Amino acid sequence: HVQLVESGGGLVQPGGSLRLSCAASGLTSSRYCMGWFRQAPGKEREGVAAIDSDGSTTYADSVKGRFTISQDNGKNIVYLQMNSLKAEDSAMYYCSADRMGVDSGGNCGGSEFGYRGQGTQVTVSS
């Protein structure tokens, strides 16, 4: 049984930083990708960043240069360091995992074998 638990969201001023964490359990293969996607009210879900089992990373154009995804393999934790936050980054952020790996669109978790957590809210506002 795969479980993903996110933490680290909150309220931050524009230009500030937050680090999200996702603790994964139940992953039976080392070939899982892990990633983050977000969804704001009234908007479509957007893939933010992903890290594949070989350590390669992908980012949405909207966050390149500001967000960094990393993974502590020994603890099955994936992080999303978010710097220079903008109001448009406000959303519910979800952690994802998928044994099919990162898809052709650079996202993780979209296959029938994908999992996602319950989400953590990020609000960027002054």
Side-chain angles (χ1 to χ4, degrees):
H1 174 67
V2 174
Q3 189 173 18
L4 304 172
V5 180
E6 304 97 333
S7 61
L11 173 64
V12 63
Q13 292 186 344
S17 298
L18 280 176
R19 189 176 81 155
L20 306 183
S21 300
C22 172
S25 60
L27 299 180
T28 57
S29 168
S30 62
R31 299 191 63 182
Y32 276 89
C33 66
M34 294 191 72
W36 294 90
F37 64 94
R38 65 187 180 187
Q39 190 162 22
K43 295 188 178 180
E44 290 189 359
R45 189 176 77 177
E46 177 189 24
V48 175
I51 184 164
D52 217 337
S53 56
D54 62 358
S56 58
T57 57
T58 57
Y59 296 94
D61 287 342
S62 58
V63 306
K64 280 181 182 176
R66 301 188 298 121
F67 290 13
T68 303
I69 188 170
S70 61
Q71 189 170 21
D72 182 335
N73 287 323
K75 296 183 179 179
N76 265 357
I77 299 175
V78 65
Y79 303 99
L80 185 68
Q81 178 66 44
M82 306 186 294
N83 299 328
S84 302
L85 283 161
K86 307 174 182 179
E88 50 264 42
D89 294 317
S90 297
M92 186 71 80
Y93 283 70
Y94 299 91
C95 177
S96 61
D98 199 324
R99 66 180 177 91
M100 298 303 291
V102 174
D103 63 23
S104 59
N107 298 313
C108 174
S111 86
E112 61 184 301
F113 302 104
Y115 299 91
R116 80 171 195 186
Q118 292 299 306
T120 185
Q121 178 67 40
V122 171
T123 302
V124 185
S125 174
S126 55

